[in-house]
């Protein structure tokens, strides 16, 4: 088995197989043996790259759900243009059928298991982001997950649901995301409601 360790691309092949199986079966029903069979490798090789099924799932989440650094930049900019920039990056992933399937698989696994849900949630918020910014990102994430799921289920109008041309969807969502990105914290400037 030692000769197969370190073959270029093996780790990525394992992760692709795991992502596909998590998408199809969910976290709970995906076994490391099934991942190894799909990847065409010995199950022991998975242990060489990943300490556990949980570690493999963490790696799949990190590669599949990639908003943390995008969110950090968008929060740092705090301008309405950051919303469109963020949305264009998000809907690019939705337009790729393989990536969309994997994202939905990660979400399915997050619903399936509390530990998977916690890992998914942690992947959305960059390190060092807390307080009001963390709440903003949680709300933006919820909005994006809801829209992506609705789009996948065919609940959106055809103009917003079509793959390939996401400009209309970005325009429709941008004001809501911009409002969250540039919102003043409670008690901050603009919070005086007296008339």
């Amino acid at each position: 088995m030692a000769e197969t360790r370190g073959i270029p691309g093996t780790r990525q092949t394992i992760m692709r197989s795991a992502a596909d199986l998590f998408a199809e079966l969910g976290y709970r029903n995906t076994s490391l043996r099934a991942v190894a069979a799909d990847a065409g490798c010995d199950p022991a090789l998975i242990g060489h790259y990943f300490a556990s099924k949980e570690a493999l799932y963490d790696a799949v989440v990190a590669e599949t759900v990639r908003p943390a650094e995008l969110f950090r930049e968008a929060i740092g900019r705090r301008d309405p243009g950051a919303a469109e920039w963020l949305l264009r990056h998000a809907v690019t992933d939705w337009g790729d059928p393989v990536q969309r399937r994997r994202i939905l698989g990660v979400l399915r696994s997050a619903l399936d298991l509390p530990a998977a849900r916690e890992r998914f949630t942690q992947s959305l918020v960059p390190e060092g982001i807390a307080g009001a910014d963390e709440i903003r990102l949680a709300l933006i994430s919820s909005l994006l997950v809801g829209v992506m799921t609705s789009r996948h289920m065919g609940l959106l109008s055809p103009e917003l649901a079509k793959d390939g041309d996401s400009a209309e969807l970005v325009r429709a969502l941008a004001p809501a995301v911009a409002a969250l990105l540039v919102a003043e914290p409670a008690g901050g400037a603009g919070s005086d409601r007296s008339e």
Side-chain angles (χ1 to χ4, degrees), residues 80-166:
E84 286 198 21
W85 173 84
L86 177 63
L87 288 165
R88 278 194 302 274
H89 279 81
V91 298
T92 296
D93 275 352
W94 303 349
D96 175 2
V98 173
Q99 181 66 0
R100 180 174 58 231
R101 183 171 168 262
R102 289 178 176 169
I103 291 170
L104 290 168
V106 166
L107 287 171
R108 177 181 177 187
S109 294
L111 293 172
D112 194 30
L113 194 69
R117 184 167 48 251
E118 183 177 335
R119 287 182 186 88
F120 173 72
T121 303
Q122 289 169 350
S123 76
L124 298 175
V125 180
E127 287 185 30
I129 300 292
D133 284 342
E134 185 176 5
I135 292 169
R136 287 186 188 97
L137 292 185
L139 292 171
I140 292 169
S141 297
S142 296
L143 175 65
L144 295 180
V145 166
V147 169
M148 184 186 68
T149 305
S150 296
R151 192 181 197 207
H152 175 71
M153 294 173 64
L155 301 177
L156 298 181
S157 68
E159 295 79 27
L160 299 179
K162 59 186 172 185
D163 287 335
D165 180 14
S166 56

Side-chain angles (χ1 to χ4, degrees), residues 62-78:
E63 185 161 297
T64 303
V65 184
R66 303 172 282 210
E69 290 312 310
L70 297 176
F71 282 168
R72 180 187 298 282
E73 184 166 337
I75 282 283
R77 287 175 55 177
R78 294 209 191 278

Side-chain angles (χ1 to χ4, degrees), residues 12-27:
Q12 284 305 113
T13 300
I14 291 169
M15 286 180 59
R16 275 194 300 274
S17 292
D20 288 343
L21 289 171
F22 288 141
E24 183 181 340
L25 305 173
Y27 179 89

